[in-house]
């Protein structure tokens, strides 16, 4: 059984490539795919690309060309939920496209043809990933250059792993106004969003179409507010790839097949 590890960031992928046994690089659909073994498990490493269409193409290639049995996605996201702070991890319970709007033909956020707005991630895979994320954030205290914003960095940092709804859309959310509007509109419709990013819901939809188990973990790089564009690149360089590496390796160790 081959497991696809889909990374949002080149930094994440390259740290995993270094751990590959018997690495083989293949080009397909203008993308590089790395095949090999990680912790004795057959894997394909791929980059999602940025945005929903790029991610859907990569996910489809993983399934059609490489025959993967499951897809696990890591990347970063903007924290929008209460208490979802930079350095925390959100493991997706389900996904919604915050920019999907075919109203009045379909209810706002509903994916036409699917009769729902939220696509659920695989329960068993997500539980494994949440375990790996929880272990990662607790051992991350004092590591990876992370400091607790709540404690001014003077005490042991406290980071959390959350489990809940993530919203994807083809926008980098980078103003407090937009973030509050997005969060409040969704909240009023019964959707409590913990984080925003730009790809996961597309991969969830492709996996739903093919009946492939899917799970995703996103490290919070910014608060999707007025400083998001500054916080994001800094975080990617210093922390995100090491988080992803730890989570993926811990996750693969726990996989039973
Ligand atoms: N990925 C990381 N931060 C994000 C943000 N603020 N908006 C969309 N995607 C993101």
């Amino acid at each position: 059984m081959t497991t696809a590890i889909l990374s949002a960031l080149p930094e994440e992928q390259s740290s995993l490539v270094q751990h590959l046994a018997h690495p083989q690089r293949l080009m397909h659909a203008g993308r590089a795919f790395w095949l090999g073994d990680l912790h004795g498990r057959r894997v394909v490493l791929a980059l999602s690309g940025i945005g929903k269409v790029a991610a859907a193409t990569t996910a489809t290639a993983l399934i059609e060309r490489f025959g993967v049995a499951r897809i696990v996605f890591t990347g970063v996201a903007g924290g929008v939920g209460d208490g979802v702070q930079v350095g925390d991890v959100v493991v997706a319970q389900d996904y919604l496209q915050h920019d999907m709007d075919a109203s009045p033909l379909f209810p706002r956020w509903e994916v036409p043809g699917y009769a729902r707005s939220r696509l659920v991630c695989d329960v068993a895979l997500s539980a494994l990933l949440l375990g790996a994320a929880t272990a990662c954030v607790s051992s991350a205290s004092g590591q990876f250059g992370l400091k607790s914003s709540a404690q001014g960095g003077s005490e042991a940092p406290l980071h959390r792993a959350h489990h809940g709804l993530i919203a994807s859309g083809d926008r980098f959310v980078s103003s407090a106004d937009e973030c509050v509007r997005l969060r409040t509109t969704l909240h009023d419709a019964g959707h409590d969003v913990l984080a925003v990013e730009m790809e996961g819901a597309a991969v969830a939809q492709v996996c739903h179409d093919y009946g492939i188990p899917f799970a995703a973990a996103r490290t919070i790089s910014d608060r999707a507010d007025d400083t998001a564009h500054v916080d994001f690149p800094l975080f990617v360089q210093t922390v995100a790839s090491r988080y992803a590496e730890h989570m993926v390796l811990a996750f693969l160790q726990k996989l039973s097949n």
Side-chain angles (χ1 to χ4, degrees), residues 99-112:
D99 54 356
M100 173 59 75
D101 187 357
S103 60
L105 303 177
F106 295 89
R108 179 87 198 267
W109 301 295
E110 183 171 310
V111 186

Side-chain angles (χ1 to χ4, degrees), residues 9 75-80 98 167-175 178 195-199 218-225 228-229 232 236:
L9 307 164
V76 294
V80 301
H98 65 73
S168 309
D170 289 323
R171 287 186 62 77
F172 185 79
V173 181
S174 58
S175 86
E178 180 180 353
V196 285
E197 38 86 311
M198 301 179 67
E199 298 85 19
R218 292 277 179 163
T219 306
I220 301 303
S221 57
D222 56 79
R223 281 284 303 172
D225 57 12
H229 64 292
F232 174 83
V236 165

